[in-house]
Amino acid sequence: MALTLEERITRLEDIEAIKSLITTYARGADRNNDPAILAPLYTEDAVWEAEGFGRHEGIEAIAREMAEVGRETILWSLHYMVSPEIRIADDGKSAECFWYLWELAKMPGEDGQPEDNVIGGWYETKLVKTDAGWKFRHVTLVLKLICPAHEPWETR
């Protein structure tokens, strides 16, 4: 069944809205997982999970645990969200999205002092369209690389 022009435009607007959601997610993450920025991006029953960082269910748990990561584990970061692939469901009410992650981060080293690291992997997400816009229902971060940088860099 062919989509109408209006349906096609709506899909393109939805894709742009999801790209904006990803950008806002990165911005919140780069502000030490600021719960004021990140919490509104999720549905009430959302799940966020990543090996080594756990599985967190519900907005409150996600915001609390991610803020703790921002205080204790990833002390500074710069997220590059690369090549998002967004698939809107036929009914236009849900979507799946994949994108690569390349991240520069300061994390405590073996001596407890901040150490420059590179992080790589990808995100696999499920989203729903709500009255307030697109929100994450399930976020899975698949980490493939976390390693110290060879040369430290200066952060601003």
Side-chain angles (χ1 to χ4, degrees), residues 15 38 45 51 77 80 96 101 114 119 125 137 142-143:
I15 288 168
L38 294 178
D45 61 346
E51 187 176 334
S77 64
Y80 294 90
E96 292 183 353
L101 167 69
I119 300 172
T125 65
R137 174 166 280 157
V142 179
L143 294 168

Side-chain angles (χ1 to χ4, degrees), residues 1 23 40-41 52 64 66 104 127 132 137 152 155:
M1 174 167 92
T23 300
L41 306 181
R64 181 182 62 249
M66 295 306 294
L104 307 176
L127 305 98
R137 174 166 280 157
T155 58

Side-chain angles (χ1 to χ4, degrees), residues 45-89:
D45 61 346
V47 173
W48 187 99
E49 61 184 327
E51 187 176 334
F53 290 91
R55 177 184 169 95
H56 313 296
E57 299 182 26
I59 291 175
E60 289 181 28
I62 292 169
R64 181 182 62 249
E65 297 300 324
M66 295 306 294
E68 183 177 321
V69 167
R71 284 189 307 274
E72 298 178 8
T73 308
I74 300 184
L75 310 173
W76 175 90
S77 64
L78 184 60
H79 284 69
Y80 294 90
M81 309 307 221
V82 183
S83 300
E85 178 184 37
I86 301 165
R87 293 179 302 282
I88 307 291

